Amino acid sequence: AQSVTQLGSHVSVSEGALVLLRCNYSSSVPPYLFWYVQYPNQGLQLLLKYTTGATLVKGINGFEAEFKKSETSFHLTKPSAHMSDAAEYFCAVSTAGGTSYGKLTFGQGTILTVHP
Amino acid sequence: EPEVTQTPSHQVTQMGQEVILRCVPISNHLYFYWYRQILGQKVEFLVSFYNNEISEKSEIFDDQFSVERPDGSNFTLKIRSTKLEDSAMYFCASTSQGLSGANVLTFGAGSRLTVL
């Protein structure tokens, strides 16, 4: 069984400040890890993913995340927040292989607010 | 950029009525999924569909739910007799392959179902 915990349902930062959204996962097999972003009235858009290989993953819009197996974490960061980053962010886990690849287990989401 | 299209964007229905939510996945995709998000809760996997049959379903996906791909382009979710607790945002997703970690789910913008 898999699970995802996102610490903090709401995170508020100032424009230009560091963004850190926390995600911890539980998986009995090597996980695939994802961050999705949802802007108002839009679908879930993939920010970045970790499957295998390099543990520091770079995504779109300047975001990156680091897979830390020892800490079972996959925190999302961005050095400098923009107003346009305001959205809801979802961490998700899946396991490799077969159609279960598309069976994502999501965290509860973190709403990011960016203040001028 | 190819996208997954969902209709309607919002549907209000009376308890006990049948509802059909429609999705047009990306044209070359082969694996299809429905997820839902009850307000304030996590995005949850409902069902995956490949080669014209259900490949996996969750406990939520009981006999009241059904999916089909009636014409090679649309992918529908039917709820036979809606309950109040079916009120949620329903997301359709698709991917070209389920076997490779390089592939990701593309989500639609969602259909909000309100059951009165």
Side-chain angles (χ1 to χ4, degrees), chain B residues 36-51:
Chain B
R36 80 171 185 188
Q37 184 182 29
I38 295 172
L39 189 63
Q41 298 186 24
K42 297 183 179 185
V43 177
E44 304 170 289
F45 168 81
L46 289 179
V47 65
S48 59
F49 190 87
Y50 170 70
N51 199 27

Side-chain angles (χ1 to χ4, degrees), chain A residues 4-5 32 34 36 38 41-44 46 49 51 88 90 97-108, chain B residues 31 33 35 37 41-45 48 50 55-56 91 95 97-105 107-109:
Chain A
V4 175
T5 301
Y32 287 174
F34 306 83
Y36 281 85
Q38 185 180 28
N41 301 315
Q42 295 186 30
L44 298 165
L46 181 72
K49 66 180 181 188
T51 53
E88 188 163 16
F90 294 91
T99 58
S100 288
Y101 176 80
K103 183 183 176 184
L104 300 178
T105 300
F106 283 87
Q108 77 274 25
Chain B
Y31 296 80
Y33 307 82
Y35 285 77
Q37 184 182 29
Q41 298 186 24
K42 297 183 179 185
V43 177
E44 304 170 289
F45 168 81
S48 59
Y50 170 70
S55 46
E56 192 169 1
F91 292 104
T95 187
Q97 298 179 35
L99 299 177
S100 167
N103 291 294
V104 297
L105 294 187
F107 284 84

Side-chain angles (χ1 to χ4, degrees), chain B residues 5-93:
Chain B
T5 305
Q6 290 187 241
T7 55
S9 57
H10 189 192
Q11 181 159 355
V12 181
T13 190
Q14 295 292 322
M15 191 169 54
Q17 295 297 304
E18 176 183 283
V19 162
I20 297 176
L21 304 179
R22 290 182 169 79
C23 170
V24 179
I26 293 173
S27 60
N28 64 343
H29 284 187
L30 301 175
Y31 296 80
F32 313 109
Y33 307 82
W34 283 101
Y35 285 77
R36 80 171 185 188
Q37 184 182 29
I38 295 172
L39 189 63
Q41 298 186 24
K42 297 183 179 185
V43 177
E44 304 170 289
F45 168 81
L46 289 179
V47 65
S48 59
F49 190 87
Y50 170 70
N51 199 27
N52 284 318
E53 62 182 22
I54 291 173
S55 46
E56 192 169 1
K57 61 183 180 180
S58 71
E59 294 175 354
I60 303 166
F61 195 88
D62 62 21
D63 292 343
Q64 292 297 315
F65 291 90
S66 62
V67 289
E68 65 174 0
R69 191 159 159 77
D71 56 13
S73 61
N74 290 286
F75 179 52
T76 62
L77 174 68
K78 181 191 290 186
I79 308 174
R80 227 175 305 278
S81 177
T82 51
K83 306 171 192 166
L84 294 176
E85 54 264 37
D86 294 328
S87 295
M89 179 73 88
Y90 289 81
F91 292 104
C92 176

Side-chain angles (χ1 to χ4, degrees), chain A residues 5-109:
Chain A
T5 301
Q6 290 181 239
L7 299 176
S9 57
H10 289 81
V11 170
S12 181
V13 300
S14 298
E15 193 173 18
L18 172 72
V19 174
L20 171 60
L21 305 183
R22 299 177 188 273
C23 172
N24 288 89
Y25 70 91
S26 171
S27 177
S28 56
V29 297
Y32 287 174
L33 294 160
F34 306 83
W35 276 99
Y36 281 85
V37 60
Q38 185 180 28
Y39 299 101
N41 301 315
Q42 295 186 30
L44 298 165
Q45 179 184 1
L46 181 72
L47 272 180
L48 49 76
K49 66 180 181 188
Y50 168 80
T51 53
T52 58
T55 57
L56 181 61
V57 179
K58 295 187 185 299
I60 62 172
N61 301 337
F63 284 93
E64 62 182 37
E66 186 171 11
F67 170 59
K68 292 187 176 181
K69 184 178 178 181
S70 61
E71 298 177 8
T72 62
S73 70
F74 191 57
H75 301 329
L76 181 71
T77 60
K78 181 173 180 178
S80 176
H82 294 159
M83 298 295 291
S84 60
D85 294 327
E88 188 163 16
Y89 292 80
F90 294 91
C91 182
V93 63
S94 178
T95 54
T99 58
S100 288
Y101 176 80
K103 183 183 176 184
L104 300 178
T105 300
F106 283 87
Q108 77 274 25

